[in-house]
Amino acid sequence: MDTIPDTALKPDPVAEAGPRARPAADRPQALDPRSLVARFGTDEPLAMDAGARLAPFQIAYQTAGSLNAERSNAVLICHALTGDQHFAHTHPVTGKAGWWETLVGPGKPIDTDRYFVVCSNVIGSCMGSTGPASIDPATDRPYGLDFPLVTIRDMVRAQAMLLDRLGIRDLFLCVGGSMGGMQVLQWAALYPERVFAALPIATGPRHSAQNIAFHEVGRQAIMADPAWADGRYLEAGTRPAKGLGVARMGAHITYLSEPALHRKFGRRFQGGSAPTFSFNADFQIESYLRHQGLSFVERFDANAYLYLTRAMDYFDLAEDHGGVLAKAFQGTRTRFCVISFTSDWLFPTSESRAIVHALNAASAPVAFVEIESDKGHDAFLLDEPTLFSAVQGFVDAAARARGL
């Protein structure tokens, strides 16, 4: 197959960052991401559901693989709530491997030797795409809560603008889990002619009341932290680390399952075989959650967490189409594979079945796989052989139909 090297599509990240650029060690990733950056000027605004026209703005992204001569092998990965563009690249803050290296890479189900893979940091986040931690050109201060509220549809519109910039008219595959799965569904509904195959994993057609409730608890924890400073903590030189850490602890519980927690921690004590009769982290699970909270605040922005959780809350694909989910996929030619996990109580299988039923009603080609797993919602990020085989089978079949 004739290919165009992916380096031909990669603008220099420092050049793209413009005159404000300094080494990432000196400035946060929100301003100077250690990745590729596409800038859009005042004449290229992003029309947002909140009524704003965001301009200028930027999108941080990463790629892997090469685009073929026909530009027909592009894959878009949509990341989850606290994910980012570093799907198969060393994370510039944590130093850890890419968050989806289990599934994406040479010889893996999403094979970077065959496909050109793109993943962007979503609008409203904090790893280089414009969000509340970015500088507002009108004030030369961080946006804070002056940044317009973001929706899943806004994220997808921005991704479409990025693909246009890269010269990619349509996608061979759009794939993502959780909030990433919401983006996949939104892509299929908003740009059906641009998506050949869609793979939404561990997601739903709307955010449930229970999920909104969990998010609100996290947001209130952040806003109750005095260091939050009404959202102006970057100017105040503070950081609502305690509030954001508690928000992360609460959310992380929802990503797991009781069997997984019991297997890993049970009721084992952290430092011995007896309680300390204090409020220290006596139990291993307490210590684990505190570690999760502490490590999270080092790489994520508190206001971005507010914005992205709210974006998920607002997502309701059926409501956007007169309350009938099937209308979102009316006349689509996109082929789908919907995947859920038996122990995922954040996005239970019933949510995936609702998507499948709507696709069936719209006469869309769809496969459905419910994977037996006790790993909870986060199973889509973990070493799950059944997931790999399901994705491999769907992607290979779609590639044959695409002529790849």
Side-chain angles (χ1 to χ4, degrees):
M1 181 186 301
D2 294 330
T3 61
I4 300 173
D6 60 334
T7 50
L9 293 169
K10 292 184 176 182
D12 179 77
V14 175
E16 286 284 292
R20 300 183 64 90
R22 296 209 299 268
D26 297 336
R27 287 161 63 85
Q29 293 293 305
L31 300 179
D32 287 323
R34 197 174 299 174
S35 70
L36 304 167
V37 179
R39 286 185 170 271
F40 297 85
T42 55
D43 59 336
E44 302 171 283
L46 172 64
M48 303 180 72
D49 285 343
R53 294 177 65 81
L54 184 65
F57 72 97
Q58 67 184 41
I59 301 175
Y61 68 102
Q62 291 279 33
T63 69
S66 298
L67 192 65
N68 63 14
E70 296 79 19
R71 297 177 177 257
S72 61
N73 68 333
V75 174
L76 178 67
I77 291 177
C78 302
H79 71 71
L81 172 66
T82 60
D84 49 49
Q85 65 271 37
H86 303 289
F87 66 98
H89 313 76
T90 301
H91 196 281
V93 177
T94 67
K96 293 182 178 179
W99 57 267
W100 230 5
E101 285 194 348
T102 54
L103 194 70
V104 185
K108 295 181 180 179
I110 300 176
D111 190 347
T112 51
D113 287 338
R114 296 183 65 189
Y115 309 116
F116 178 63
V117 184
V118 181
C119 181
S120 71
N121 190 219
V122 297
I123 288 292
S125 192
C126 54
M127 287 297 291
S129 293
T130 302
S134 304
I135 301 299
D136 181 350
T139 64
D140 203 32
R141 302 187 306 168
Y143 276 103
L145 298 192
D146 290 336
F147 194 73
L149 267 291
V150 175
T151 66
I152 300 296
R153 191 161 40 226
D154 294 333
M155 298 173 187
V156 168
R157 290 193 190 105
Q159 290 163 351
M161 293 175 70
L162 172 63
L163 293 181
D164 290 343
R165 175 69 64 85
L166 295 177
I168 298 172
R169 188 188 66 82
D170 57 54
L171 295 166
F172 159 60
L173 175 68
C174 187
V175 56
S178 194
M179 188 184 83
M182 290 180 172
Q183 295 166 64
V184 173
L185 295 173
Q186 189 67 75
W187 259 100
L190 194 59
Y191 301 111
E193 74 287 351
R194 298 188 69 168
V195 182
F196 183 79
L199 187 50
I201 305 172
T203 193
R206 87 288 187 268
H207 221 208
S208 69
Q210 176 178 263
N211 291 348
I212 294 170
F214 277 116
H215 276 174
E216 177 60 5
V217 171
R219 288 191 293 264
Q220 288 300 318
I222 292 169
M223 293 188 285
D225 189 329
W228 183 62
D230 293 325
R232 289 291 176 189
Y233 51 88
L234 293 175
E235 296 170 66
T238 61
R239 185 174 60 169
K242 291 182 178 179
L244 181 58
V246 170
R248 176 62 171 182
M249 289 168 67
H252 195 72
I253 295 169
T254 71
Y255 305 151
L256 307 172
S257 69
E258 197 283 330
L261 283 173
H262 182 75
R263 182 177 64 250
K264 189 170 184 177
F265 303 107
R267 288 181 49 83
R268 291 187 291 275
F269 288 105
Q270 178 67 16
S273 59
T276 64
F277 295 100
S278 72
F279 292 106
N280 295 326
D282 271 8
F283 294 96
Q284 289 182 7
I285 181 59
E286 293 176 311
S287 179
Y288 170 75
L289 288 175
R290 293 185 187 189
H291 169 74
Q292 288 293 324
L294 287 172
S295 60
F296 182 65
V297 301
E298 295 300 320
R299 68 174 180 87
F300 214 81
D301 174 65
N303 281 341
Y305 192 86
L306 301 181
Y307 275 77
L308 298 189
T309 55
R310 183 52 100 193
M312 291 185 73
D313 293 349
Y314 283 153
F315 184 69
D316 188 337
L317 202 53
E319 186 63 26
D320 293 342
H321 293 82
V324 180
L325 184 57
K327 288 184 178 180
F329 309 112
Q330 197 88 38
T332 185
R333 295 184 179 179
T334 303
R335 55 183 62 212
F336 293 81
C337 180
V338 180
I339 297 178
S340 69
F341 300 94
T342 55
S343 58
D344 184 354
W345 56 276
L346 191 64
F347 287 99
T349 292
S350 58
E351 298 287 301
S352 292
R353 289 191 187 279
I355 298 168
V356 173
H357 291 158
L359 289 167
N360 284 331
S363 300
V366 56
F368 172 55
V369 182
E370 182 184 26
I371 295 174
E372 186 76 32
S373 170
D374 70 353
K375 297 175 183 176
H377 179 66
D378 265 359
F380 78 95
L381 297 171
L382 304 175
D383 187 358
E384 190 62 73
T386 308
L387 171 65
F388 302 161
S389 61
V391 172
Q392 185 83 66
F394 176 71
V395 172
D396 286 352
R400 288 192 297 272
R402 181 80 159 177
L404 295 176

